[in-house]
Amino acid sequence: MGKLTGGDPSLLRKINSSVVLRALRDAGDAGDAPTLSDLASATSLSRPTVEGVLEGLAAAGLVVEASGGPEARRVGRPARRFRFRAEAGHTLGVGIGAHRVQVVLADLAGRRLGSAGAPVAERASAEARLAVVDAVVAEVLAAAAVERGSLRAAGVGTPGVIGPEGTVRLCSALPGWTGLALGERLRAALGCTVLLENDANAAVLGEHWAGAAAGCGDVVMVLAGLSPGAGSLIGGRLHRGHRGAAGEIGALHLLGRELTPEHLLSTDGEPLHPLDEAAVSRVFALARSGDRRAVGAVDRFSRRVLHDVTALVLALDPELVVLGGWAAGLEEVLGTLRRELPEYCLWAPRVELSALGEDAVATGALRVALDRVEEELFRVEAPG
Amino acid sequence: MGKLTGGDPSLLRKINSSVVLRALRDAGDAGDAPTLSDLASATSLSRPTVEGVLEGLAAAGLVVEASGGPEARRVGRPARRFRFRAEAGHTLGVGIGAHRVQVVLADLAGRRLGSAGAPVAERASAEARLAVVDAVVAEVLAAAAVERGSLRAAGVGTPGVIGPEGTVRLCSALPGWTGLALGERLRAALGCTVLLENDANAAVLGEHWAGAAAGCGDVVMVLAGLSPGAGSLIGGRLHRGHRGAAGEIGALHLLGRELTPEHLLSTDGEPLHPLDEAAVSRVFALARSGDRRAVGAVDRFSRRVLHDVTALVLALDPELVVLGGWAAGLEEVLGTLRRELPEYCLWAPRVELSALGEDAVATGALRVALDRVEEELFRVEAPG
């Protein structure tokens, strides 16, 4: 008997707090804020226990008494109502790319409060790139009137392979990035927990949460770009690989003796540089206008992506492939994939364009930050 | 109280039986067979409960009183000892290939009692191939003096994509195999539960159980052969893919405009046919003797395997790659993989030759059969 209900009383208090907080969070903004009785019934805890827990949560700033409710308009003493203070803390999603930094801000319940982005030079130093991150974070916080000290967790998506200790183990796309203690640098700058994730991994989490892969657990997301990469969900979980390098398919074309995207997309024999959104848009626009060399370039590039996607599809057999990275030109690549994948795969998966576009990496990074916050606040046992 | 110990009494009996049987199985042949007291202490069940369970298991033929033990040599009434009758039933592992059928036989504890194999023509019809399977099974059963009626489960590894209902959804390597209700046919022939698995999937399970991948949970196994395929373990579990087609990389070379193994390994401009062990051995032997065309053929073939393996490694980032399929010539391919994989992968995995050789598929298939038997006999809760 003692074994089941006894044990560490502070752990029991934490479990009860989490259960009540989760019930409040799930009640959300829909309908009336719950009363003490509502919470006791939803959590199977006694009224005195719920009352004690609420006092502690209120003292921690996580719960506040809600005004209003149907009783407030009636005669007699109204029942007290409570709500989760989602504004008690904030979360950030940061996407650091070769040409752009993108940041989204949300509260503890995951409601988006704002976003901002800024360009960054492909050859910018690590310090310069970090300065842009800092400026965009400052901008998005200021616009939403949120203090930096209110941040609870930030997720960060970046090209490269991330080590478990929060350093960039390897990144060929960004100057000065390999070996950078990126987690430590951003923790110091943001003053909160920082969680790093590979950009394609973050993107597939973003599309799964709120984009083209919603409701689909077996997904490969391919990010076109300077160094193409892929992120995969298997059974709804990220597959990172033994060393965190799963989906780093950039080198595969070397074997087929094909060329880099800069060469493939060239229309004058010189590598396309910088290989940013604007340059890529120009090539795709030229191709649409019928320019013969641009048509050739787009075709060569599409076949390169087809080759990479085929390799991933044959290895993993996903239900869905999501194509993202650039906003422009991917319709042409999508057409090639949909037309030609069935030639090489036993069963070709669905292929969709990213629904989140340039927000995909930052949105997935935000999901990573929210997962951590939820783990800390609500998840004392496996979610029901 | 009633909720924890009450419930279905027959379920409780089954749980107790499984717990006692597992304890007996785990006691195995090491040391003395356990006594009633040993079993009561190992299972935390009361002596009368254990005694009742043992009676039921003995009646079912799964447990027998063991003779001997230290007391038998002493004065006075010896304690009764018991052992699991692993010989109460048998399991089969069957590997069906383009050129060979291989069968292994084991008891309920997984101890190997024998194996046999026979060649089969690459173009043999489905009926002819099934007749070879039947003959080899008969041979291995006769050699071990085991009745067909004693079979509890058979695992079967075969090329192709297996549907959940035990039919071959797609198989280009074996004539008449696509659409074949292989599970039903073999169930009728063997008179026991039949579990189908893709050959490369079975092979990686075999190498993980008793071969080159022992102790390693993130493995890609590549089977060289007529239609190269791969099987992958991720975190110790088979990754089959959304439609069971994960690792079916046979078509990838078409994209790189490379050729089929028959053409790659040709030394006279004509496709190598049949592409069996003997033909392949000849080409590799010629290459070793310095024949220029054979050296070129082996090099082309090795680069094709390198390309397939690179695609799998970049997609999955495994800890280990196991190379199998043929017995001959794979040392040369292994050399190419070990030398060149580091050029294309951020971190090249270890690469090893199959330790089980032509037994790999049948051994993995046997593991599949044993898993089912253990689930039925021992696994009423998650294994400790």
Side-chain angles (χ1 to χ4, degrees), chain B residues 136-186:
Chain B
V136 178
V137 168
E139 182 190 339
V140 79
L141 289 174
V146 165
E147 301 284 331
R148 201 168 278 240
S150 171
L151 293 175
R152 296 284 290 244
V156 179
T158 166
V161 179
I162 309 302
E165 66 297 341
T167 57
V168 180
R169 296 181 70 181
L170 194 67
C171 176
S172 53
L174 307 187
W177 223 241
T178 298
L180 185 69
L182 184 59
E184 200 179 302
R185 292 293 302 270
L186 291 174

Side-chain angles (χ1 to χ4, degrees), chain B residues 65-193:
Chain B
E65 205 164 324
S67 52
E71 292 89 344
R73 291 180 296 274
R74 289 201 230 115
V75 184
R77 181 167 160 240
R80 293 164 71 202
R81 293 179 176 275
F82 301 88
R83 69 170 183 83
F84 171 49
R85 284 191 68 234
E87 70 277 20
H90 294 86
T91 50
L92 277 184
V94 180
I96 303 178
H99 305 108
R100 194 169 178 83
V101 168
Q102 195 73 18
V103 174
V104 292
L105 173 71
D107 65 16
L108 292 182
R111 279 178 302 219
R112 275 174 79 125
L113 304 176
S115 69
V120 57
E122 188 180 309
R123 305 314 305 161
S125 69
E127 294 308 318
R129 201 174 301 272
L130 286 169
V132 174
V133 172
D134 211 54
V136 178
V137 168
E139 182 190 339
V140 79
L141 289 174
V146 165
E147 301 284 331
R148 201 168 278 240
S150 171
L151 293 175
R152 296 284 290 244
V156 179
T158 166
V161 179
I162 309 302
E165 66 297 341
T167 57
V168 180
R169 296 181 70 181
L170 194 67
C171 176
S172 53
L174 307 187
W177 223 241
T178 298
L180 185 69
L182 184 59
E184 200 179 302
R185 292 293 302 270
L186 291 174
R187 250 186 306 279
L190 300 172
C192 68
T193 301

Side-chain angles (χ1 to χ4, degrees), chain A residues 161 170 234 239 241-248 251 255 257 303 307 310 312 314-319 344 346-347 349, chain B residues 161 170 234 239 241-248 251-252 255 257 303 307 310 312 314-319 344 346-347 349:
Chain A
V161 180
L170 193 68
I234 295 176
H239 173 64
H242 186 62
R243 299 162 203 78
E248 292 289 320
L255 269 156
R257 293 172 190 74
R303 295 201 64 81
H307 184 253
T310 303
L312 289 159
L314 295 180
L316 289 165
D317 185 21
E319 184 178 359
Y344 305 107
L346 299 181
W347 290 275
Chain B
V161 179
L170 194 67
I234 296 176
H239 173 65
H242 187 61
R243 300 163 203 79
E248 291 290 319
L252 187 58
L255 271 156
R257 293 171 190 74
R303 295 201 64 81
H307 184 253
T310 302
L312 289 160
L314 294 178
L316 289 165
D317 186 22
E319 184 179 358
Y344 305 106
L346 300 179
W347 290 276

Side-chain angles (χ1 to χ4, degrees), chain A residues 203-243:
Chain A
V204 75
L205 291 173
E207 297 287 342
H208 183 246
W209 178 31
C216 180
D218 294 298
V219 193
V220 168
M221 169 127 195
V222 179
L223 282 190
L226 196 61
S227 115
S232 304
L233 297 185
I234 295 176
R237 293 168 53 107
L238 209 50
H239 173 64
R240 290 194 181 86
H242 186 62
R243 299 162 203 78

Side-chain angles (χ1 to χ4, degrees), chain A residues 61-143:
Chain A
L62 288 169
V63 163
V64 73
E65 207 163 323
S67 52
E71 291 87 346
R73 292 180 295 275
R74 291 200 228 114
V75 185
R77 184 167 156 240
R80 293 163 71 201
R81 294 182 175 273
F82 302 88
R83 70 169 182 85
F84 172 47
R85 284 190 68 235
E87 70 278 20
H90 293 86
T91 51
L92 277 184
V94 180
I96 304 179
H99 306 109
R100 195 169 178 83
V101 168
Q102 196 74 17
V103 174
V104 293
L105 173 72
D107 65 16
L108 293 183
R111 279 179 300 223
R112 275 175 80 124
L113 304 175
S115 70
V120 57
E122 187 181 308
R123 306 313 307 160
S125 68
E127 294 309 317
R129 199 173 302 271
L130 286 169
V132 174
V133 172
D134 211 56
V136 179
V137 168
E139 183 190 338
V140 79
L141 289 174

